[in-house]
Amino acid sequence: MNTFTTPFSARLRAETREAHHTTESQRYVSALTAGDLDLAGYITLVVQHHAIYAALEGVAETMRHDPLAGPFVDDALTRLPALARDLQCLLGPGWQERIEPTPATAAYAARINAVCAGSAERFIAHHYTRYLGDLSGGRHVGQCVSRHYGVTSDAGAAFYTFDQIADQKSYKEAYRARLDALALDEDGRTALLDEVLVAYGHNIAVFTDLARLVPATTRKGAA
């Protein structure tokens, strides 16, 4: 691939395609979307999301006025209020005292806090990995979750709904245009790409850990 003529957003997609596929094919993800988990198995994912987005959106506030990262910080993407509503619905009052991230999730959040506040490239990498995924495959996951686990976009699955984004396709196109316009040299682009792969690695580790929640025999009969 000619990195001098290929749009950076296209390069990102091409060079992370394998990691993206590995994430989507994780056993926990397959069980979640097939309805093979119990409600507790779904709630555990919501808890992990809360820890991850607490880290990412906390850093986002510090990057809001950064010349490179600032244009990516958009309140329309913010997920923490939706996750709080979901956990209130799923766990009831006092949910804040009843949640704890897994070690894999804690490591993911720690990585975000350690590298993003001091690096626009690495912040954008984690921002891109999470939110572009939410706006793409996340829609399908949300539909599956609502169908299988008795939750709705108002109660229990608000995380998957972006009320402030009317046209997600156009939003994603504009987001990719911002990536293409980033004033980064090749070292900066490589750092961003490398951190996207790190983010995928953490995401895969979280799902690998959550695979323990998948029943030994699913409705497809898989062991």
Side-chain angles (χ1 to χ4, degrees):
M1 178 180 295
N2 188 331
T3 59
F4 295 101
T5 59
T6 302
F8 185 49
S9 60
R11 178 183 169 191
L12 273 174
R13 278 185 290 176
E15 296 191 27
T16 61
R17 186 172 290 117
E18 182 177 352
H20 179 80
H21 174 72
T22 300
T23 303
E24 287 189 330
S25 61
Q26 289 295 300
R27 187 164 181 257
Y28 176 87
V29 177
S30 298
L32 175 73
T33 55
D36 290 327
L37 304 175
D38 58 16
L39 182 60
Y42 165 64
I43 293 172
T44 302
L45 177 63
V46 183
V47 172
Q48 310 319 305
H49 279 157
H50 187 272
I52 293 164
Y53 285 86
L56 184 57
E57 293 175 4
V59 173
E61 285 306 309
T62 72
M63 302 297 282
R64 189 176 290 273
H65 302 295
D66 183 271
L68 283 179
F72 292 88
V73 180
D74 183 354
D75 292 338
L77 293 171
T78 302
R79 297 292 84 204
L80 267 183
L83 287 164
R85 292 199 303 275
D86 288 342
L87 289 167
Q88 174 72 27
C89 169
L90 294 165
L91 295 176
W95 60 265
Q96 296 94 332
E97 286 74 44
R98 298 168 58 193
I99 62 173
E100 184 175 356
T102 66
T105 298
Y108 191 174
R111 176 68 183 187
I112 291 170
N113 285 320
V115 305
C116 289
S119 169
E121 295 93 334
R122 289 179 170 81
F123 169 75
I124 294 167
H126 285 274
H127 193 277
Y128 163 82
T129 306
R130 295 303 326 174
Y131 295 114
L132 260 288
D134 295 337
L135 291 170
S136 299
R139 174 181 287 186
H140 169 67
V141 174
Q143 291 170 344
C144 293
V145 162
S146 295
R147 182 163 64 249
H148 295 307
Y149 302 103
V151 294
T152 69
S153 59
D154 295 321
F159 169 76
Y160 298 99
T161 300
F162 290 82
D163 291 328
Q164 298 181 55
I165 300 177
D167 185 341
Q168 292 190 12
K169 181 176 183 294
S170 295
Y171 189 96
K172 288 187 291 183
E173 289 173 351
Y175 190 106
R176 292 186 182 108
R178 287 196 292 276
L179 289 170
D180 295 336
L182 278 170
L184 291 174
D185 59 17
E186 183 57 26
D187 287 344
R189 292 186 172 204
T190 298
L192 197 160
L193 172 60
D194 288 347
E195 192 64 27
V196 169
L197 293 172
V198 169
Y200 271 118
H202 279 291
N203 206 24
I204 290 166
V206 170
F207 287 137
T208 298
D209 177 69
L210 295 184
R212 61 190 162 76
L213 304 174
V214 179
T217 302
T218 66
R219 66 181 64 185
K220 292 182 178 180

